Amino acid sequence: MSALITPELVVLDQDLGSDRAPVIRRLAQLVVDAGRATDVDALFADAWDRESKTDTGIPGGLAIPHCRSAAVLEPTLAMARPAPGVDFGSSDGPADLIFFIAAPDGADQEHLKLLSTLARSLIKPEFVASLRAAATPAEIVAIVDGALAPAPAPTTSTTATDAQPAASATPTSPANPASPAPRPVIVAVTACPTGIAHTYMAADSLVAAGERAGVELHVETQGSSGATPLDPALIARATAVVFAVDVDVRDKARFAGLPVIQAPVKRGIDEPDAMVAEALAAADDPNARRVAGGGSNGTDGTAAGHTDTGPNEHIGQKLKRYLLTGVSYMIPFVAGGGLLIALGFLLAGYQINGNATDIVLGNSLWNLPEGGLATYLGAVAFVIGAASMGFLVPALAGYIAYAIADRPGIAVGFTAGAVALVMNAGFLGGLVGGLLAGFIAWAIGRIRVPRVIRGLMPVVIIPLFGSIFASGLMLLVLGGPIALLMSGLNDWLSSLTGASAVLLGVILGTMMAIDLGGPINKVAYAFAVAGLGAGTIANQAPWQIMAAVMAAGMVPPLALALATLIDRRLFSAAERENGKAAWFLGAAFISEGAIPFAAADPLRVIPAGIVGSALTGAIVMGTGVTSQAPHGGIFVFFAIGNVGMFIVAILAGMIVSAALVVLLKRFVRRRPVQADAAADSSAQVPDARATALAGAPASAPARTPVPAR
């Protein structure tokens, strides 16, 4: 196993500027220069993506920017001791010790355990003091290697993980019979998106805080080096649970009924004593928030599948997450159903929608209808596809409710969605019904009930009373007005012709390319998919919208693939390789194929993509191209109406975007080196899938403005 850190990966007592982004880029450059990564732009983009989610500064003048990246060849540590320090978002000021942890996507467990060990060492005062006193990079390396050296097996433990034995703030041996009274027991789970640093530092900080508070505290670290679940006996003894997490807690149902304190993982590092004190207070508070009974991922007040991000998450963000959860679970029903319906039309013609059920019930492979085998198979495909599409609204509502109330909300939401179908309220009814069902199920789940009937809550009581209230409101109050609104929306979409249809295509195309899988892109895609089930032979506007969204989303990766062929000198070797893959990704409607290019050069790549995608969306809407499939790109050609014009629209947008990329790269030059470094630092990726225009994340502290390229 090669060394994780070497002297050439250490920078001591240099002025690295006042902003964190150039520092991260400098450390990423060290990793690349050492031959441990292939692409500094890709590594910086992945590190900045992680930094944008949560500040990596921690109390004590420390910062641990870190990431997993496909650009990394082997796990690596790079370290900077800047003078002066650099603000990484810690509450106590700038950081003067910065460790950059770079792990490959497929890092082995032994390397990940070493990285986790280093992260845990950073909360030890003697280790940090020795780093500040070191005079040379070689001394730094020796200190780090010493911290990473195997230690004797501990007689007591601190965390439940494969990297260390099971955890507690007190010895796990039998209690001394002379002890005056047993200590309170608190269990905790720590987890972060990368699972390398914050997960383990928060665990150790909480354990130390538990010792100071006289609490027996056991932590389960759900990190990249593995996790050992807490012993059920410990959970049964616990009086409260602490979740210091930025991602889902695995198997959260184990903690059902326990008072819960939940916060981002960084708070477990910054304020562990406060979290332990809050947990102790919650244990004595009969009205404290508790982990929902019977759910696998939800807590009272917390959406399933999404952890509570605290006061920084406003109601709009929560609603977006609920709705996108519903859409993501709904898509498989729409994809399978839409393709089967399109296949039915291909085999039996459009007239099959009027008599498909009669043909399937009245005929068989040995008794074929008029039209022969093709008509029969087309009818079968149409009936199966229509049945799948029939789940569109109930699935949308059911999984929106699941996002709010966890598993107890699913039945309530599906029922409300089915009622929306009965009321002809369409996907708008599904949206409203799902939100209504989720919040009602969540509210019922918060009711304190005797332990003897707690097990009935998720399987009987919540589905029963939740369905009565949510579906009753849909039938008696909300269904009619929503149905009228849905009818008006369908009439408006059907009336779009000429300039109005083209304008809608421009808007949808722009939304698909502006952040390549970010929130704006998702809104456009969700709008198209949610309306797909309303399309008919007489009302093809929803199918046209789907075609515009899919075609526009194909343009950016295809355009960049073409640009790498037009002028190879404008692109790095890694980008040229990415360009080869982008041909297939774009053809399959996988917009992420453009992300490596946009991450490296957002201010020239993204505007070019927007222009081409807007043009494609306008052509598709203006010429009446349709798509009954929500995904698949050119590979679902049989589900596309007027496929020739579909291809022409994509080619037009691709050529325009590629030409603009080449022109911008040739004639819109970067500024000198200092400005270039600052401008590069502003390129960030708002979520795991996409990159957006430059700018600081809203939750980060104010940063020095940088000039545009």
Side-chain angles (χ1 to χ4, degrees):
M1 184 184 300
S2 60
L4 291 175
I5 187 169
T6 58
E8 59 265 27
L9 292 168
V10 179
V11 177
L12 296 181
D13 305 322
Q14 294 185 21
D15 186 351
L16 301 180
S18 60
D19 188 73
R20 72 184 82 177
V23 177
I24 295 175
R25 178 172 283 277
R26 172 71 179 276
L27 293 173
Q29 186 67 60
L30 291 179
V31 176
V32 173
D33 291 344
R36 292 167 172 260
T38 58
D39 187 337
V40 66
D41 289 328
L43 179 54
F44 169 76
D46 290 332
W48 190 250
D49 176 28
R50 176 64 185 88
E51 189 74 23
S52 300
K53 293 173 182 173
T54 308
D55 293 327
T56 56
I58 57 177
L62 304 173
I64 46 168
H66 55 281
C67 70
R68 291 174 181 264
S69 175
V72 178
L73 300 176
E74 57 181 310
T76 301
L77 305 176
M79 184 254 188
R81 193 175 68 195
V86 180
D87 182 12
F88 271 77
S90 176
S91 58
D92 66 346
D96 64 346
L97 288 177
I98 302 166
F99 270 99
F100 177 47
I101 303 177
D105 281 338
D108 60 81
Q109 292 299 309
E110 289 304 313
H111 271 120
L112 292 173
K113 289 176 184 178
L114 289 177
L115 294 174
S116 304
T117 301
L118 171 77
R120 308 177 92 141
S121 298
L122 289 173
I123 68 169
K124 299 176 181 178
E126 62 276 11
F127 177 72
V128 174
S130 64
L131 291 174
R132 289 197 169 102
T136 66
E139 288 184 44
I140 294 287
V141 172
I143 293 168
V144 173
D145 287 344
L148 298 179
T155 57
T156 63
S157 51
T158 54
T159 57
T161 171
D162 292 340
Q164 298 248 20
S168 69
T170 61
T172 55
S173 55
N176 185 342
S179 298
R183 294 183 175 188
V185 177
I186 295 176
V187 291
V189 176
T190 61
C192 72
T194 310
I196 295 174
H198 284 74
T199 299
Y200 302 97
M201 297 176 73
D204 287 354
S205 296
L206 287 169
V207 166
E211 290 177 344
R212 290 190 292 271
V215 172
E216 182 181 346
L217 195 148
H218 302 260
V219 184
E220 177 181 315
T221 53
Q222 297 183 353
S224 58
S225 59
T228 300
L230 289 164
D231 187 335
L234 286 176
I235 299 174
R237 291 170 50 207
T239 56
V241 61
V242 172
F243 294 147
V245 293
D246 288 333
V247 293
D248 302 349
V249 173
R250 303 170 199 165
D251 196 15
K252 192 180 284 186
R254 297 172 290 161
F255 307 100
L258 283 176
V260 60
I261 300 299
Q262 182 161 332
V265 67
K266 192 170 183 295
R267 189 175 183 233
I269 303 172
D270 294 349
E271 304 175 19
D273 295 286
M275 294 192 75
V276 170
E278 290 168 11
L280 289 172
D284 296 328
D285 182 2
N287 297 316
R289 190 167 68 104
R290 295 174 182 267
V291 180
S296 60
N297 285 325
T299 62
D300 290 347
T302 305
H306 304 285
T307 56
D308 186 358
T309 57
N312 289 330
E313 185 180 43
H314 56 69
I315 186 63
Q317 291 173 319
K318 290 182 179 180
L319 284 175
K320 183 190 76 174
R321 298 170 89 177
Y322 301 154
L323 297 179
L324 290 179
T325 297
V327 169
S328 68
Y329 280 101
M330 175 194 73
I331 285 174
F333 293 98
V334 180
L339 290 172
L340 283 168
I341 289 174
L343 185 61
F345 288 151
L346 180 68
L347 293 172
Y350 284 109
Q351 70 278 1
I352 196 65
N353 70 321
N355 59 350
T357 302
D358 295 336
I359 290 175
V360 170
L361 295 178
N363 297 273
S364 67
L365 288 171
W366 299 271
N367 178 29
L368 294 174
E370 183 180 350
L373 182 62
T375 298
Y376 180 70
L377 293 179
V380 170
F382 183 89
V383 168
I384 297 173
S388 179
M389 291 290 285
F391 285 100
L392 187 156
V393 174
L396 176 64
Y399 288 107
I400 289 174
Y402 165 74
I404 299 169
D406 203 11
R407 285 186 296 184
I410 292 179
V412 184
F414 263 86
T415 305
V419 169
L421 283 182
V422 172
M423 300 293 292
N424 292 319
F427 79 90
L428 287 180
L431 294 175
V432 174
L435 292 170
L436 187 65
F439 286 118
I440 288 176
W442 170 81
I444 296 174
R446 285 180 62 88
I447 298 174
R448 299 294 301 276
V449 297
R451 182 178 292 273
V452 69
I453 65 170
R454 189 174 297 164
L456 295 176
M457 288 290 286
V459 295
V460 176
I461 296 173
I462 294 176
L464 173 62
F465 290 98
S467 296
I468 290 173
F469 287 113
S471 298
L473 283 172
M474 286 295 296
L475 278 169
L476 300 175
V477 180
L478 299 174
I482 295 173
L484 288 175
L485 180 61
M486 190 69 191
S487 176
L489 178 61
N490 285 332
D491 291 342
W492 175 71
L493 291 175
S494 300
S495 69
L496 288 177
T497 57
S500 57
V502 169
L503 178 59
L504 180 59
V506 169
I507 294 171
L508 292 172
T510 299
M511 294 175 71
M512 289 301 294
I514 198 167
D515 58 357
L516 298 174
I520 300 173
N521 171 288
K522 289 173 182 174
V523 167
Y525 182 68
F527 172 69
V529 173
L532 197 58
T536 63
I537 299 300
N539 175 26
Q540 299 190 17
W543 296 347
Q544 293 173 10
I545 291 171
M546 189 71 253
V549 165
M550 184 155 65
M554 294 166 65
V555 166
L558 290 174
L560 288 159
L562 179 60
T564 61
L565 297 181
I566 293 174
D567 194 337
R568 294 170 55 84
R569 298 170 301 171
L570 297 174
F571 299 90
S572 67
E575 287 175 326
R576 292 196 293 271
E577 286 300 311
N578 288 329
K580 297 175 183 178
W583 285 112
F584 173 80
L585 296 175
F589 182 34
I590 301 174
S591 301
E592 287 82 351
I595 287 178
F597 302 91
D601 192 2
L603 297 181
R604 288 184 286 193
V605 169
I606 290 178
I610 289 173
V611 173
S613 292
L615 174 63
T616 296
I619 294 173
V620 168
M621 289 297 296
T623 56
V625 178
T626 62
S627 173
Q628 293 172 255
H631 216 289
I634 197 62
F635 299 105
V636 292
F637 63 91
F638 57 87
I640 296 170
N642 196 358
V643 67
M645 207 62 215
F646 181 78
I647 294 173
V648 168
I650 293 170
L651 290 175
M654 178 181 73
I655 292 169
V656 168
S657 282
L660 282 174
V661 167
V662 171
L663 289 173
L664 289 172
K665 283 183 173 286
R666 282 182 181 174
F667 301 111
V668 180
R669 295 295 181 186
R670 297 173 182 245
R671 293 181 183 271
V673 175
Q674 276 190 323
D676 184 46
D680 277 337
S681 74
S682 68
Q684 60 176 312
V685 186
D687 61 31
R689 294 182 55 216
T691 186
L693 294 174
S699 61
R703 302 193 180 134
T704 305
V706 295
R709 295 183 191 175

